[in-house]
Amino acid sequence: MIEDKRWKGVYSFDDSPYLMEILTELRDKETDSIAFRKGLVKLGRFMGYEIIKTMETEKVKVETPLEETEGIIVKDRRNVVIVTVLRAAVPLMEGLVKVFEHARIGIVSASRGKPPKFEIEMNYVKIPQITPEDTVIIADPMIATGSTLVRVIEEVKKYGTPKRLIVLGVLAAPEGISRIKERFPDVEIFVTKIDRELNDKGYILPGLGDAGDRAFGAPIKLSNLPQVHPIE
């Protein structure tokens, strides 16, 4: 885990060959949806382990079958709220829940409009009460312009003030990170890798395409479906 010198509290995992191998498979345009989803689950789980390294621990006494010894518990692991940004973050959440099995789950449906305004529409929000003891992890694979996540963070903060607020993603563009940190300096960001830039359509380069479409298939408009007419 490497802290990026351009921002405070922004971490990537370029130093992990395992995560870089998974990311390489996700970037490959030939990777099918099943393998793509499995890759996101793996990233969510491993990055969850890395987040645990930054959490508060407490020493405890434990009785083995032979004698008493000293161990630890990760106190913060029992006070986690995972907020999933539909739909691409669902596999990431699956991986995170394997690590934070006590987590409470929030769901947000947010979509980004077309350039250049990239207006954000939110039409579904279900977030549990947040307490000062909680670590909130907002899962969204792609941190592109940052506009979606700024809007999601604003919404999350209506439900309480957590101990920590973390954004977890797969890829990020510098522009998106800067937008989030300018608006919320205390938010921590953990991503597999920080990519080069955005293109004029707001996609990360070199990126991996649309994470939602690649994980679950591209949506189709009903108007494009063949029309079926009843037989008279």
Side-chain angles (χ1 to χ4, degrees):
M1 183 166 58
I2 303 169
E3 184 171 12
D4 195 290
K5 295 180 180 179
R6 290 172 288 182
W7 308 275
K8 182 180 179 181
V10 176
Y11 305 91
S12 64
F13 297 92
D14 297 73
D15 58 338
S16 170
Y18 177 66
L19 291 191
M20 291 301 102
E21 181 179 42
I22 296 171
L23 178 59
T24 299
E25 184 177 13
L26 294 181
R27 289 194 195 273
D28 188 345
K29 65 180 182 180
E30 302 300 328
T31 298
D32 63 24
S33 292
I34 294 173
F36 195 92
R37 289 196 298 270
K38 287 182 177 179
L40 290 179
V41 173
K42 291 176 184 176
L43 290 182
R45 187 169 188 169
F46 189 93
M47 292 170 73
Y49 290 140
E50 292 295 310
I51 289 174
I52 286 176
K53 293 178 182 179
T54 70
M55 289 182 162
E56 184 179 349
T57 61
E58 179 182 325
K59 291 183 179 180
V60 296
K61 296 291 185 180
V62 62
E63 286 283 349
T64 79
L66 301 175
E67 64 180 29
E68 183 181 87
T69 187
E70 192 176 77
I72 69 163
I73 59 171
V74 184
K75 294 172 62 178
D76 294 338
R77 198 170 72 85
R78 287 155 176 78
N79 296 291
V80 171
V81 177
I82 300 171
V83 177
T84 305
V85 181
L86 295 178
R87 61 184 165 143
V90 171
L92 272 182
M93 178 192 69
E94 182 181 341
L96 287 167
V97 168
K98 294 179 185 297
V99 180
F100 302 107
E101 66 272 16
H102 302 285
R104 307 183 319 274
I105 306 297
I107 302 290
V108 175
S109 174
S111 58
R112 187 184 71 182
K114 295 180 179 180
K117 292 186 177 180
F118 297 113
E119 293 180 350
I120 304 303
E121 180 181 348
M122 297 184 70
N123 46 40
Y124 185 87
V125 177
K126 293 290 183 180
I127 298 172
Q129 183 66 46
I130 295 169
T131 73
E133 292 77 35
D134 287 331
T135 294
V136 174
I137 302 173
I138 301 174
D140 191 1
M142 311 298 282
I143 305 173
T145 65
S147 52
T148 300
L149 280 164
V150 165
R151 181 70 182 86
V152 171
I153 293 168
E154 289 173 347
E155 192 68 27
V156 167
K157 283 180 170 288
K158 296 177 183 178
Y159 293 81
T161 302
K163 180 178 180 179
R164 296 172 68 187
L165 204 161
I166 295 171
V167 169
L168 181 138
V170 176
L171 290 177
E175 298 93 325
I177 294 174
S178 292
R179 175 172 289 184
I180 294 169
K181 295 298 285 186
E182 286 169 7
R183 180 72 176 81
F184 302 104
D186 294 334
V187 167
E188 302 167 61
I189 299 175
F190 291 76
V191 293
T192 308
K193 189 174 179 64
I194 300 171
D195 265 359
R196 187 177 71 248
E197 61 184 354
L198 296 176
N199 65 12
D200 57 1
K201 295 182 179 180
Y203 281 92
I204 299 172
L205 297 176
L208 49 75
D210 187 302
D213 288 355
R214 295 199 59 196
F216 298 105
I220 186 170
K221 294 182 179 179
L222 291 177
S223 59
N224 293 336
L225 292 174
Q227 300 299 307
V228 178
H229 302 283
I231 300 175
E232 297 180 354

